[in-house]
Amino acid sequence: MLRGKTAVVTGASRGIGRAIAECFAKNGANIAIIYAGNEAAAKEIVEKIAESGVEAESYKCDVSSFSETKETVDKILQRFGGVDILVNNAGVVKDSLMLKMSEQDFDSVLSVNLKGAFNMIKHLFPQFARRRKGRIINISSVVGICGNAGQANYAAAKSGIIGLTKSVAKELASRGVTCNAIAPGFIKTDMTDSLPENIKDRVLDQIPMKRMGLAEEIASLALFLASDNAGYITGEVIKADGGLCI
Ligand code: NAP
């Protein structure tokens, strides 16, 4: 489905990003993986991906840094020649109620989750516009649509991703480049594994499908959006949440 294409996936050393990278590789794409610090996990996924017979390389890069992302994008363009698909997936949480939320926790969550996506799109924008084709997929969250007590910083960042997605979609539509967002619900990864059991049970109770989603279920939606089959879809926010936010 993606044979001969090159995809950049941020936050691909673990969780949803890793599942997307593996799924795209199985479907023929060469993969550039961006991770924050977990080198062992990044190396492991690169080796696994290479088994699919595609090219893969990992890059340690803090997506919140404008200069680091510029250097990394330049290296990726040199290595792969061009980028067809960008998946902005890197994300962090620093949860607390507003009364207790520090300015630093607000700023750092916005920097990684929202500015990180801006940085990557900004540096790849000229090549997407020049090549007149491409796919940008941003990972938002249902929390960015519905809000969530204890996650004002994260929800603000994920809502911001939706505004960014729609604006970039309008700017790049005439160039044949689509930009869409995926809003996952409660997905089983390190991010949710760290939640206390009583909170997990409370969320599960609110999900009509009564289960957590799998990273692979987000990856299959990303694969569709990245494929030629999704050529007329842009500026959309697609939920994958077992009905949580109906
Ligand atoms: P995860 O398992 O915690 O993995 C986070 C990934 O992001 C890791 O690869 C990590 O790299 C990378 N990362 C973190 N900070 C970074 C930075 N500053 N620069 C570059 N990479 C960075 O998270 P996940 O659950 O898979 O979540 C992936 C995305 O889906 C996030 O945007 C998250 O907000 C969103 N999402 C998740 C859920 C859910 O229920 N899990 C629901 C809705 C939305 P290292 O391994 O090097 O640390």
Side-chain angles (χ1 to χ4, degrees):
M1 221 173 190
L2 304 179
R3 193 147 304 282
K5 299 205 161 136
T6 294
V8 179
V9 185
T10 71
S13 45
R14 292 184 282 126
I16 293 171
R18 182 185 167 120
I20 292 173
E22 283 181 7
C23 172
F24 283 13
K26 273 191 199 136
N27 281 276
N30 300 317
I31 312 285
I33 279 166
I34 291 181
Y35 67 101
N38 199 335
E39 197 172 336
K43 280 209 168 121
E44 190 199 310
I45 171 79
V46 164
E47 278 167 23
K48 192 161 178 225
I49 279 176
E51 287 169 13
S52 304
V54 299
E55 303 276 313
E57 190 101 55
S58 61
Y59 300 85
K60 183 177 184 307
C61 167
D62 177 358
V63 294
S64 68
S65 161
F66 192 76
S67 58
E68 259 185 59
T69 46
K70 172 79 177 109
E71 277 168 34
T72 304
V73 163
D74 287 347
K75 280 186 206 158
I76 292 170
L77 289 174
Q78 225 172 3
R79 165 76 168 78
F80 292 92
V83 170
D84 302 283
I85 304 154
L86 166 65
V87 182
N88 284 307
N89 164 82
V92 290
V93 282
K94 285 189 183 162
D95 299 349
S96 64
L97 292 168
M98 270 304 285
L99 265 180
K100 288 193 174 162
M101 188 173 288
S102 67
E103 181 187 8
Q104 198 185 17
D105 283 355
F106 185 83
D107 287 347
S108 66
V109 167
L110 267 284
S111 292
V112 176
N113 293 274
L114 180 55
K115 192 172 172 227
F118 163 79
N119 287 339
M120 292 300 298
I121 294 170
K122 170 79 183 160
H123 301 316
L124 281 165
F125 197 97
Q127 77 102 47
F128 274 125
R130 205 171 42 244
R131 287 160 61 96
R132 292 187 162 269
K133 60 177 182 178
R135 298 277 186 268
I136 300 172
I137 299 163
N138 298 320
I139 307 298
S140 175
S141 166
V142 286
V143 162
I145 300 169
C146 303
N148 196 23
Q151 290 196 308
N153 49 0
Y154 183 73
K158 294 303 188 184
S159 290
I161 284 281
I162 293 172
L164 178 70
T165 299
K166 293 185 178 192
S167 304
V168 170
K170 286 187 173 179
E171 290 190 25
L172 281 173
S174 64
R175 303 281 176 147
V177 181
T178 67
C179 181
N180 292 290
I182 295 176
F186 198 43
I187 310 300
K188 192 167 169 31
T189 66
D190 291 350
M191 193 177 266
T192 45
D193 279 350
S194 60
L195 289 171
E197 287 303 317
N198 64 326
I199 304 270
K200 279 191 210 171
D201 289 345
R202 208 182 308 153
V203 180
L204 277 174
D205 203 43
Q206 291 165 19
I207 301 171
M209 292 187 101
K210 297 294 173 209
R211 68 167 177 92
M212 290 173 84
L214 302 175
E216 291 72 22
E217 290 173 310
I218 304 303
S220 55
L221 174 54
L223 176 65
F224 168 67
L225 289 173
S227 73
D228 290 345
N229 296 331
Y232 203 52
I233 300 171
T234 197
E236 283 301 321
V237 183
I238 303 178
K239 287 180 285 174
D241 66 349
L244 176 62
C245 194
I246 289 173

